[in-house]
Amino acid sequence: MAERIEQRLEDRIPELEQLERVGLFTRKEIRAVLRKASALEYKIQRRALRKEDFINYIQYEVNLLELIKKRRARIGYSFKKDEIEYSILHRVHSLFNRATGKWKDDVQLWLSHVAFCKQWNAKHQLSKVFSTMLAIHSNKPALWIMAAKWEMETRLSSESARHLFLRALRFHPECPKLYQEYFRMELMHAEKQRKEKKEFEQAKMDLGEFNYSEEVLNGEMARIVYRDASQKIKGVEFQLAVLSIAKLFDFTEDLQKEILENLQARYADDPLTWDYMARRELELGSQQPTEHTTKQKKVSEMAQREERCCAVFDEAVRAVPTEDMWKCYITFCLERYNRKTNSEELKQKRLERTLSVFSKAHESDLLPEALYKQWLQLLLDSNLSEKAVEVAEAATRHFSQSVEMWQMRLQVLIRLKRDDVTQCFEEAVKHVKSKGTLPLWTLWVEWSEGTNSKEDTQALYQRSLHATTPAESVTMKEMYLDWTYRNGGYKKVKRLFTSLCENRPFSLDFFRKMIQIEKEQESCKMLHLREYYERALREFGSTNTDLWLDYIKEELSHPQGKPENCGSIHWRAMKMLQGDLVEDFVSKYTLLQTGHL
């Protein structure tokens, strides 16, 4: 092994001598480079190879290349690159090849090699990297797309890119993304040929052996790709994605028409088809010339376009009366309403339209649960309080088991300071099952704290502990403890803590809150702190190292603490903690003893 390392270090000597000779590095720096290279070489020649060692070596060489580049720029020297940079580049490629050969499944390693090749313009090497990588990771469409894009955009070889896409489709015959990018590549190729032909014609040059096929120029290759893909890939999303790509090219009118006809024929009942057709009215209107028009006329034209969109949506909800269709319609209305405009008339018209669509969807019993919240927010923002209360009530009738719907209705009533809040809370907890009612109870007690008497709030807290599930009652216990301390003082909260400790489960924050309350007292007693820590350790001593360390710190720092107890606490922690937590505790305890924690 030593002989091999020595040989590799000797191979570096010519480039290092050149670096010193041309004044890029000093002799001292050359020695430092050799020492570092020697250490890195030994690490990658061991029997038990580590990926990190290869990455560190590669990173060192890349940093060296960057440093050489900066120093060349500083002194203005650009010669001897063959003897210096190229030998380093060759070594980096060799390191990458060894690493990817050893850890073939690490895609990130392959991508790092690709990025390095692109950075240093190593086209020949990158071609080899892609070839090897795709042979191993043929199951990843994104890598095929990356390789094909590089062939098309960097090497300007549409033939190679096409070959890669065709190979990729043998492995992934139903991958929408592959077909989309293949479709885009064929259109880019057609556009490139059209530009070339135009330039030749403008220069009045004889095309000679250049044969530009009219079919290729008009995007017929892309049409073939599209038709083949349409037979294998079902779904509106793919059709719309391909259509959006075709719209980027100005020679694809016939192709766009074919995709649109196919979309309407095969997916007439899909909400996304109607959504696209409706939104298309906006685009068709915006393509008309609008020069020398007044602001009023522009507003009027925009209103007319939106009316045409809504006419298509109205037809859509009659033809496809589903929740998804109404959702598309409402989303469109909300998008238009949220668009900035200086015209109050247009803004008011958009608001009225949006509220009308919400009402129609609600009357049809096809308004999704998630959209009720947006409807209510819109009503409240528009100061339509009575309508908001009415809608909130209707929402809870329609989704009587939904905690979110009840929570939303209650928030509306609280915001409007209505008298029937308590009645609504009672109705909510009666309809909703006990599991998942925590948001309702937290909202109720928070409202009660600011509205009702202390006795009523206390009774409500007590009731919530029985009404919620054991896991959810943990949060209520924390809130109850905090509220009692704020409103009743230390003695009351201590009695409550003792009472609540009789019923599991607990959270760590429950105990920490009581510890914090004790420490806030003027006569903070270590006896009480020990009680709280001991109770907490009974519940969480096997899973929490910080609790043990805090207990030890308390014994060391408190005026009434007993430092001699730390040994027994440490011994108990070692016995009680599980798995790797013991090691974690030991390291933290050592830091504590040395004053670093």
Side-chain angles (χ1 to χ4, degrees):
M1 183 177 83
E3 291 82 358
R4 195 183 307 134
I5 292 168
E6 286 300 321
Q7 182 60 50
R8 290 174 69 85
L9 290 173
E10 283 176 17
D11 292 342
R12 297 178 75 108
I13 289 172
E15 76 195 50
L16 294 173
E17 285 177 346
Q18 289 288 1
L19 280 169
E20 187 184 356
R21 189 178 297 122
V22 300
L24 289 171
F25 277 42
T26 64
R27 178 160 292 231
K28 187 179 178 183
E29 287 172 331
I30 296 295
R31 285 173 183 162
V33 169
L34 269 173
R35 278 197 302 273
K36 184 67 177 177
S38 176
L40 291 167
E41 281 289 348
Y42 270 100
K43 285 182 179 179
I44 66 163
Q45 298 296 341
R46 293 183 298 196
R47 286 193 178 184
L49 296 176
R50 291 168 65 242
K51 193 195 307 181
E52 292 74 17
D53 294 333
F54 279 89
I55 292 170
N56 290 337
Y57 198 169
I58 290 166
Q59 189 59 57
Y60 177 74
E61 294 288 9
V62 170
N63 292 343
L64 192 62
L65 280 169
E66 291 292 341
L67 182 60
I68 293 168
K69 186 178 176 182
K70 285 179 182 177
R71 291 198 176 176
R72 278 185 180 280
R74 192 177 68 192
I75 65 172
Y77 185 84
S78 59
F79 305 105
K80 301 287 183 182
K81 286 191 176 181
D82 287 354
E83 291 95 329
I84 300 172
E85 276 92 337
Y86 291 171
S87 63
I88 299 174
L89 288 171
H90 178 74
R91 192 159 52 249
V92 173
H93 288 309
S94 174
L95 287 167
F96 266 122
N97 290 337
R98 277 189 65 192
T100 51
K102 174 73 175 172
W103 296 280
K104 293 182 176 69
D105 295 334
D106 191 337
V107 178
Q108 194 55 51
L109 204 55
W110 287 100
L111 293 177
S112 297
H113 196 182
V114 168
F116 177 77
C117 291
K118 285 181 179 178
Q119 184 184 357
W120 293 94
N121 202 27
K123 292 181 181 179
H124 180 68
Q125 187 67 34
L126 183 51
S127 194
K128 288 182 180 178
V129 173
F130 273 131
S131 179
T132 313
M133 178 174 69
L134 292 174
I136 295 165
H137 294 283
S138 57
N139 61 332
K140 295 179 174 62
L143 299 181
W144 288 99
I145 292 168
M146 182 194 291
K149 274 190 173 183
W150 178 74
E151 290 287 351
M152 181 68 188
E153 295 170 7
T154 307
R155 298 193 76 186
L156 305 175
S157 173
S158 51
E159 195 61 43
S160 299
R162 186 180 295 118
H163 180 64
L164 279 168
F165 275 121
L166 290 170
R167 278 180 61 200
L169 288 169
R170 287 195 211 114
F171 290 100
H172 309 278
E174 295 180 358
C175 177
K177 190 65 180 172
L178 265 176
Y179 271 109
Q180 287 169 33
E181 294 303 325
Y182 186 15
F183 180 76
R184 190 197 306 272
M185 187 278 293
E186 290 295 359
L187 288 175
M188 286 170 68
H189 174 60
E191 185 179 48
K192 178 186 163 190
Q193 291 219 325
R194 288 170 75 92
K195 283 180 180 176
E196 282 179 6
K197 187 182 178 187
K198 188 178 177 182
E199 284 171 5
F200 278 132
E201 288 172 351
Q202 284 176 347
K204 295 180 181 179
M205 290 174 66
D206 182 17
L207 295 179
E209 72 270 13
F210 295 106
N211 183 23
Y212 293 100
S213 165
E214 282 300 318
E215 289 185 342
V216 173
L217 293 174
N218 293 328
E220 284 302 315
M221 294 291 285
R223 193 188 299 271
I224 292 166
V225 174
Y226 165 69
R227 286 175 179 171
D228 183 44
S230 292
Q231 292 173 3
K232 294 174 183 174
I233 299 168
K234 310 301 177 189
V236 188
E237 292 85 355
F238 176 73
Q239 299 286 336
L240 292 175
V242 170
L243 186 56
S244 67
I245 292 167
K247 283 167 71 176
L248 299 172
F249 301 86
D250 56 9
F251 57 90
T252 59
E253 290 84 357
D254 291 342
L255 182 56
Q256 287 180 49
K257 190 178 177 183
E258 181 180 330
I259 297 169
L260 204 54
E261 286 171 359
N262 199 1
L263 183 69
Q264 289 176 293
R266 292 172 63 183
Y267 304 102
D269 294 336
D270 196 295
L272 289 176
T273 302
W274 284 98
D275 185 53
Y276 176 79
M277 296 307 295
R279 289 172 183 271
R280 191 162 165 262
E281 294 295 326
L282 276 179
E283 295 173 16
L284 291 173
S286 64
Q287 288 170 6
Q288 296 170 2
T290 56
E291 292 180 14
H292 310 297
T293 54
T294 61
K295 285 184 180 179
Q296 187 61 38
K297 195 171 181 183
K298 284 182 181 177
V299 168
S300 174
E301 285 176 3
M302 180 57 74
Q304 286 173 12
R305 279 188 238 151
E306 289 179 6
E307 288 297 333
R308 289 199 298 272
C309 292
C310 291
V312 177
F313 272 120
D314 287 333
E315 187 185 344
V317 292
R318 285 194 296 272
V320 188
T322 62
E323 276 193 9
D324 287 338
M325 191 66 256
W326 279 106
K327 187 177 180 181
C328 288
Y329 194 177
I330 290 166
T331 302
F332 169 77
C333 291
L334 286 170
E335 282 174 10
R336 300 313 298 176
Y337 174 71
N338 290 326
R339 280 180 73 90
K340 288 183 179 180
T341 176
N342 294 326
S343 170
E344 287 299 323
E345 182 188 349
L346 183 59
K347 192 168 182 66
Q348 186 60 31
K349 194 177 283 187
R350 285 172 174 173
L351 174 62
E352 288 170 5
R353 184 194 300 127
T354 306
L355 292 174
S356 170
V357 173
F358 268 120
S359 295
K360 287 176 185 174
H362 170 65
E363 287 163 12
S364 307
D365 283 338
L366 291 171
L367 185 62
E369 184 181 336
L371 290 176
Y372 271 101
K373 191 169 185 179
Q374 293 187 47
W375 188 11
L376 278 172
Q377 192 59 52
L378 192 60
L379 289 166
L380 291 170
D381 291 345
S382 307
N383 295 320
L384 299 169
S385 306
E386 292 304 318
K387 181 66 177 174
V389 172
E390 187 185 318
V391 168
E393 189 178 343
T396 51
R397 275 202 307 272
H398 198 63
F399 301 100
S400 59
Q401 296 292 313
S402 171
V403 173
E404 281 191 4
M405 287 294 103
W406 284 104
Q407 191 178 1
M408 194 174 67
R409 180 181 171 186
L410 288 161
Q411 284 168 343
V412 169
L413 294 177
I414 290 168
R415 180 173 170 175
L416 299 174
K417 297 181 179 178
R418 300 289 290 245
D419 297 331
D420 53 346
V421 176
T422 304
Q423 182 187 337
C424 186
F425 270 118
E426 294 288 358
E427 196 179 340
V429 294
K430 188 166 68 177
H431 277 89
V432 181
K433 294 174 183 176
S434 61
K435 189 177 181 181
T437 56
L438 181 62
L440 295 178
W441 283 105
T442 53
L443 184 62
W444 196 352
V445 294
E446 283 169 1
W447 169 79
S448 181
E449 284 178 19
T451 310
N452 295 339
S453 65
K454 290 181 182 179
E455 291 75 17
D456 289 343
T457 304
Q458 186 172 0
L460 194 60
Y461 268 116
Q462 291 286 355
R463 183 180 164 191
S464 71
L465 295 175
H466 300 293
T468 51
T469 59
E472 291 175 339
S473 69
V474 166
T475 305
M476 297 311 301
K477 285 175 185 175
E478 290 175 29
M479 291 179 70
Y480 191 7
L481 202 69
D482 187 52
W483 175 82
T484 304
Y485 179 56
R486 283 188 282 111
N487 291 275
Y490 174 70
K491 287 185 179 179
K492 280 192 177 181
V493 80
K494 194 171 185 313
R495 282 199 298 272
L496 175 66
F497 175 77
T498 307
S499 168
L500 292 176
C501 281
E502 292 174 7
N503 296 303
R504 284 185 173 88
F506 310 108
S507 68
L508 183 57
D509 286 340
F510 172 72
F511 293 106
R512 286 201 180 279
K513 195 177 284 291
M514 195 61 215
I515 290 166
Q516 188 58 40
I517 289 168
E518 181 65 44
K519 288 166 82 171
E520 286 174 8
Q521 307 311 306
E522 285 185 17
S523 57
C524 171
K525 295 182 179 177
M526 190 63 206
L527 188 67
H528 295 160
L529 286 175
R530 281 196 196 101
E531 179 196 341
Y532 306 146
Y533 272 113
E534 290 296 339
R535 284 181 184 274
L537 288 169
R538 279 201 290 272
E539 303 296 328
F540 304 100
S542 60
T543 57
N544 194 291
T545 56
D546 291 339
L547 198 58
W548 290 101
L549 290 163
D550 289 344
Y551 191 6
I552 291 169
K553 283 182 197 173
E554 213 66 65
E555 288 286 10
L556 291 170
S557 61
H558 197 280
Q560 299 168 13
K562 294 182 179 178
E564 61 269 23
N565 289 353
C566 294
S568 62
I569 296 170
H570 179 273
W571 182 82
R572 285 167 58 202
M574 297 292 286
K575 291 286 183 185
M576 204 166 175
L577 286 166
Q578 298 173 352
D580 295 337
L581 292 173
V582 175
E583 191 178 336
D584 185 39
F585 173 75
V586 169
S587 60
K588 285 181 178 178
Y589 184 69
T590 306
L591 289 171
L592 179 64
Q593 284 182 312
T594 55
H596 292 95
L597 189 67

